[in-house]
Amino acid sequence: MKVVVVESAPAAARVVADLVERFVTTAPRPALGLATGATMAPVFAELVRRHREHGLSFARARAYLLDEYLGLDREDPCAYRNVVHRLLARHVDLGAGAVHGPDPHAADLDAECDRYERELLAAPIGLQLLGIGSNGHIAFNEPGSPLDSTTRVVALSGQTRAGNARFFPAGQAVPARAITQGIATIRAADQLVMVACGKHKAQAVARAVEGPITSEVPASAIQLHPNVTVVLRASAAVGLSESLRADTQ
Ligand code: F6R
């Protein structure tokens, strides 16, 4: 595992954008796994900037959502498909239909999860972006999620719903359920890039990177993967041992 520690969120976004840029420009048919959330917003902004100013092209790429809420209208701005469209896809040259995700309106959600799982494994995902929840979740795999889990419907924890309330208009409840890629699904990607900024992530990051591998800390499963880069703003790295914090840029 490579750990890169930087001083600011924009610097973290640049490191992540470098990895994404290398991937989309060199992979024969780039399948990019996208997380959403506050951590990814500056990453998407940096990718858009590179597209506009340097011609970074996504024309050959396909993008795949990590997770999606259940119970929102199709046009709800908080639906992750719409977030990805608003912050990234509509500003770059991702082709029509290049953003893939589970259909949260499918009549049979279990069948839809199985369909998306098969689509992901066939893609296959070359580079998967990940954030981490302060409770150690990756995607919407909450503590207790089996390390061999696949794409499925999950209930969101109170902590996750409270944490995500900031993305919803006042008075709109955060959905109680979502579809998420499973931990095994995520691990099937060729390369994982996990990003975290802020002191409130430091404990989860330390447990994910250096703690025991356990379903109680779903992000600890990244330790099982042979090709992981963890990009941290210094504030999120304070719980790591000195040797790991050494690769500071
Ligand atoms: C979102 C996702 C989540 C977030 C995590 C961190 O697609 O999969 O696991 O990455 O909750 O969210 P932020 O970046 O908002 O702190």
Side-chain angles (χ1 to χ4, degrees), residues 146-216:
L147 299 182
D148 61 357
S149 52
T150 55
T151 301
R152 67 204 186 286
V153 173
V154 291
L156 301 181
S157 71
Q159 189 175 343
T160 296
R161 293 179 74 204
N164 286 2
R166 67 195 193 282
F167 300 117
F168 286 79
Q172 183 177 352
V174 179
R177 298 191 310 152
I179 292 176
T180 186
Q181 288 190 31
I183 297 175
T185 323
I186 292 168
R187 285 174 50 202
D190 291 341
Q191 182 183 2
L192 304 181
V193 178
M194 192 177 89
V195 196
C197 298
K199 213 167 81 186
H200 61 299
K201 299 286 178 78
Q203 194 189 14
V205 166
R207 293 174 79 196
V209 171
E210 293 191 280
I213 299 168
T214 163
S215 61
E216 288 314 309

Side-chain angles (χ1 to χ4, degrees), residues 1-188:
M1 182 184 307
K2 183 173 163 57
V3 178
V4 181
V5 183
V6 296
E7 282 308 320
S8 67
R14 286 193 293 274
V15 172
V16 178
D18 285 348
L19 295 168
V20 172
E21 176 165 353
R22 193 170 317 136
F23 173 65
V24 297
T25 53
T26 60
R29 233 187 137 227
L32 179 61
L34 296 177
T36 48
T39 315
M40 289 302 141
V43 173
F44 293 162
E46 176 63 13
L47 292 171
V48 170
R49 188 190 69 76
R50 289 179 190 207
H51 171 73
R52 286 189 177 143
E53 295 177 15
H54 306 294
L56 171 61
S57 176
F58 295 84
R60 293 183 313 111
R62 292 155 296 148
Y64 292 84
L65 302 185
L66 194 49
D67 40 21
E68 183 59 276
Y69 288 116
L70 290 174
L72 298 180
D73 290 342
R74 279 192 200 280
E75 2 2 274
D76 192 308
C78 295
Y80 282 162
R81 180 180 282 279
N82 297 334
V83 171
V84 164
H85 181 69
R86 189 168 65 249
L87 298 185
L88 179 67
R90 74 178 170 132
H91 304 290
V92 300
D93 56 348
L94 268 168
V99 179
H100 302 255
D103 178 2
H105 301 281
D108 182 340
L109 289 174
D110 290 338
E112 175 58 11
C113 290
D114 290 347
R115 183 205 64 74
Y116 192 50
E117 176 77 11
R118 285 194 302 275
E119 185 179 10
L120 291 163
L121 296 182
I125 303 296
L127 187 153
Q128 177 64 58
L129 295 176
L130 297 169
I132 178 172
S134 51
N135 65 356
H137 72 226
I138 40 170
F140 277 139
N141 293 284
E142 298 282 24
S145 298
L147 299 182
D148 61 357
S149 52
T150 55
T151 301
R152 67 204 186 286
V153 173
V154 291
L156 301 181
S157 71
Q159 189 175 343
T160 296
R161 293 179 74 204
N164 286 2
R166 67 195 193 282
F167 300 117
F168 286 79
Q172 183 177 352
V174 179
R177 298 191 310 152
I179 292 176
T180 186
Q181 288 190 31
I183 297 175
T185 323
I186 292 168
R187 285 174 50 202

